Amino acid sequence: MRYGFTTGSCAAAASKAAAYMLLTGKLKQNITIQTPKGILFQTEILETTRSETEVTCAVRKDGGDDPDITSGTLIFSTVRFADREKKIPGQNNRQLSGIHVEAMQEKRAVICIDGGEGVGRVTKPGLDQQVGNAAINHVPREMIEKEVQEVCALADFSGELHITISVPDGEHLAEQTFNPRLGIVGGISILGTSGIVEPMSSQALLDTIKVELNQKKAEGYGIAAVSPGNYGLDYMKKTYGYDLDRSVKCSNFIGDTIDMAITTGFEKMLLTGHIGKLVKVAGGIMNTHSREGDCRMEVLAAASVRNQVPYPVLEEILQCVTTEEAVRKLDACGKKDAVMQELLSKIMFYLNKRAAGKMQIEVILYSNEFGELAKSAGAEKFLQELM
């Protein structure tokens, strides 16, 4: 299947083209950037408007064969010279104290990034950007910074540029996303960690998981090491010396992976995962994609009720955007360990129910901030056998 490119890649490409036209005075009809994945993104530049002080242009989002509501949408970037009499605005630039100060010291260009029409703004804590910032995640910001700095170096420009990313259809599109629930208002988010969109065909992913399980079995593994993804990669390496890359990536298909591991001949499985995914299993959800269901805070609140968490904290948990934020609140009231053990018992119950006595499953549950949250009795032994 054909992969596509993220809104972050589109924003970076449009920004690079607009900066080039502003600083050189030359028209740009096509542009190339390198994504964090290492894949080149070559795209046409559309709807360009130019003046002496600013340039606006757009890139059309191509989601490849992934069912993405933003496919075909125009992502605009406006690059303008800063008003020399004004200080650098800091309210929308978390990186000001780092990247921008460093740029000024090294006499590189100072680049300030914000969101315009159709780009959401963060109103709740716990997301990639601080409250008040445009919902342009840190990797797209870094991509924009990198590509525009390249143009500035080419043009020998070390002044200050302001970049505004906008998506005219963004507010309407955001109604079809989880942004309103997450507290992102006014538009879509500019996202992407790899710069590319890999097709999410369910059958293609399931086939890949099956192939990986077959490979592990053929290589002589007696335990199927499974993880939803590489979230927690650093934690597992630091704590256990285990590389999550060695695990079969089950994505959201935890239940299907159990079924396939059994039919492949595995009698043991070690599931390691971030609480953001595995908390859904504690609610009996075996496909953890948000389209299938999202009961994270409800499950956390139920486990908290059973462990006498104070009512005001329960209300706060139900308002949390991320599980990391909810765990932080549980830690503050001294109930983190008890609630995590409660969750683990429910996770084990539903995993064992799915396995129906045909396979022994052990679990390690962790978060980015707190590391290990809970682990089943035989998890560490399984991990030692795998290593």
Side-chain angles (χ1 to χ4, degrees):
M1 299 179 74
R2 188 173 65 88
Y3 59 75
F5 293 90
T6 63
T7 49
S9 289
C10 295
S15 298
K16 183 177 185 179
Y20 179 87
M21 288 186 272
L22 180 64
L23 296 178
T24 67
K26 298 177 182 178
L27 184 65
K28 196 73 173 171
Q29 296 181 322
N30 294 277
I31 201 77
T32 300
I33 69 166
Q34 186 173 50
T35 64
K37 187 84 169 180
I39 296 172
L40 295 180
F41 176 33
Q42 300 174 319
T43 186
E44 183 182 3
I45 301 303
L46 305 168
E47 301 200 20
T48 298
T49 57
R50 297 192 289 169
S51 73
E52 290 185 0
T53 57
E54 71 176 43
V55 173
T56 298
C57 62
V59 166
R60 192 174 299 281
K61 171 71 158 57
D62 177 7
D65 287 330
D66 189 65
D68 187 340
I69 63 163
T70 61
S71 282
T73 301
L74 289 175
I75 311 295
F76 284 82
S77 178
T78 297
V79 179
R80 65 178 177 85
F81 292 117
D83 184 341
R84 306 296 180 183
E85 297 178 359
K86 292 182 179 179
K87 294 182 180 180
I88 302 169
Q91 66 272 23
N92 297 312
N93 294 280
R94 192 172 56 175
Q95 302 96 323
L96 182 63
S97 61
I99 292 175
H100 293 141
V101 170
E102 181 184 333
M104 287 185 284
Q105 290 173 343
E106 296 181 5
K107 299 191 182 302
R108 292 187 288 127
V110 174
I111 297 168
C112 301
I113 302 166
D114 199 5
E117 178 190 4
V119 172
R121 199 156 290 275
V122 177
T123 66
K124 290 184 178 181
L127 297 175
D128 181 272
Q129 293 294 300
Q130 293 177 348
V131 171
N133 280 14
I136 304 171
N137 280 10
H138 74 280
V139 173
R141 287 177 184 267
E142 291 165 4
M143 293 172 67
I144 293 168
E145 173 90 20
K146 172 181 174 292
E147 298 297 337
V148 173
Q149 286 288 4
E150 285 184 9
V151 173
C152 292
L154 180 70
D156 196 25
F157 175 81
S158 58
E160 181 182 332
L161 295 176
H162 287 193
I163 299 174
T164 304
I165 306 301
S166 57
V167 185
D169 297 332
E171 190 165 4
H172 171 69
L173 291 171
E175 295 173 0
Q176 304 171 59
T177 72
F178 274 92
N179 273 14
R181 176 171 177 168
L182 295 174
I184 298 173
V185 300
I188 65 169
S189 301
I190 304 300
L191 302 171
T193 55
S194 66
I196 66 169
V197 178
E198 299 187 54
M200 292 292 288
S201 160
S202 295
Q203 191 55 53
L205 281 172
L206 289 169
D207 291 345
T208 300
I209 295 167
K210 179 68 172 175
V211 168
E212 287 194 39
L213 286 168
N214 286 334
Q215 287 176 332
K216 297 296 184 184
K217 192 66 177 175
E219 290 168 3
Y221 284 89
I223 301 172
V226 174
S227 177
N230 277 341
Y231 223 54
L233 182 71
D234 292 340
Y235 159 73
M236 290 298 290
K237 280 185 177 178
K238 181 179 178 180
T239 306
Y240 294 108
Y242 181 74
D243 190 344
L244 276 180
D245 280 331
R246 295 169 56 187
S247 294
V248 174
K249 301 303 181 292
C250 67
S251 185
N252 295 298
F253 303 103
I254 292 174
D256 289 308
T257 301
I258 291 172
D259 298 342
M260 289 188 288
I262 291 169
T263 59
T264 304
F266 283 102
E267 296 180 356
K268 298 177 181 178
M269 173 188 286
L270 175 64
L271 176 64
T272 59
H274 187 272
I275 184 174
K277 286 286 186 188
L278 297 194
V279 68
K280 296 183 183 183
V281 179
I285 294 176
M286 288 289 147
N287 182 333
T288 58
H289 197 289
S290 57
R291 286 197 299 261
E292 302 296 325
D294 185 7
C295 61
R296 294 170 301 158
M297 301 313 159
E298 290 79 4
V299 171
L300 272 168
S304 299
V305 168
R306 288 192 287 268
N307 286 276
Q308 293 79 50
V309 171
Y311 183 77
V313 180
L314 294 174
E315 285 192 319
E316 291 177 3
I317 288 171
L318 288 171
Q319 294 301 316
C320 286
V321 174
T322 66
T323 50
E324 292 276 352
E325 184 185 0
V327 172
R328 202 174 301 127
K329 293 184 183 299
L330 289 169
D331 184 62
C333 72
K335 293 289 187 177
K336 173 175 68 70
D337 291 345
V339 173
M340 292 305 110
Q341 286 300 319
E342 178 83 29
L343 283 180
L344 178 66
S345 68
K346 300 298 288 184
I347 290 168
M348 295 298 294
F349 171 80
Y350 284 109
L351 291 176
N352 288 325
K353 182 179 179 183
R354 184 67 175 240
K358 299 175 183 176
M359 183 168 63
Q360 180 185 351
I361 303 178
E362 302 292 345
V363 173
I364 298 176
L365 177 69
Y366 51 77
S367 77
N368 292 341
E369 182 173 342
F370 293 95
E372 184 179 294
L373 296 174
K375 64 184 176 186
S376 58
E380 199 159 345
K381 181 181 178 182
F382 274 21
L383 197 57
Q384 291 170 353
E385 287 184 38
L386 282 165
M387 294 171 64

